[in-house]
């Protein structure tokens, strides 16, 4: 949350925005951003593979993609002007849905 809507950071995510860059001149930057994102997702997947209790029926790769999807959405919403409280509510709901009692 601090990275996308912190009081001392610009709203959104440079990496998320870069992936959506248009035009042929931006292709090298877009490819670098995609490689960075894939490396981050792979690192999260490896960490989740070490977790003792994943939610039943889910594998680490799918969960890593889910986390990236939710955090990317939060970054887009932050750039669109959503408040920290609104973003926190979404993050809390995502966690409660993924990890019910």
């Amino acid at each position: 949350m601090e990275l996308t809507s912190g009081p001392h950071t610009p709203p959104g995510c440079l990496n998320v925005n870069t992936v959506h860059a248009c035009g042929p001149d931006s292709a090298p930057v877009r490819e670098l951003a995609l490689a960075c994102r894939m490396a981050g997702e792979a690192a999260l997947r490896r960490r989740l593979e070490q977790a003792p209790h994943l939610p039943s029926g889910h594998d680490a790769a799918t969960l890593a993609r889910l986390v990236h999807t939710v955090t990317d959405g939060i970054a887009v919403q932050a750039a669109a002007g959503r408040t920290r409280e609104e973003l926190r509510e979404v993050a809390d709901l995502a966690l409660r849905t993924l990890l019910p009692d």
Side-chain angles (χ1 to χ4, degrees):
M1 197 67 69
E2 289 298 317
L3 295 175
T4 58
S5 66
H8 305 293
T9 61
C13 172
L14 179 62
N15 206 352
V16 171
N17 294 335
T18 302
V19 169
H20 299 288
C22 300
D25 292 341
S26 64
V29 173
R30 183 177 187 277
E31 290 171 16
L32 182 60
L34 285 170
C36 247
R37 294 170 56 73
M38 295 305 291
E41 187 176 301
L44 179 57
R45 185 200 74 238
R46 286 190 301 273
R47 177 61 183 96
L48 289 170
E49 288 170 346
Q50 298 171 4
H53 303 290
L54 293 179
S56 65
H58 299 293
D59 64 25
T62 303
L63 288 172
R65 284 192 304 275
L66 175 64
V67 168
H68 272 248
T69 300
V70 171
T71 57
D72 286 356
I74 287 173
V76 169
Q77 292 295 313
R82 294 288 182 184
T83 67
R84 288 174 56 102
E85 182 57 32
E86 289 172 319
L87 298 173
R88 187 173 307 281
E89 289 171 352
V90 169
D92 288 345
L93 176 59
L95 287 172
R96 284 193 312 272
T97 301
L98 180 60
L99 305 169
D101 292 334

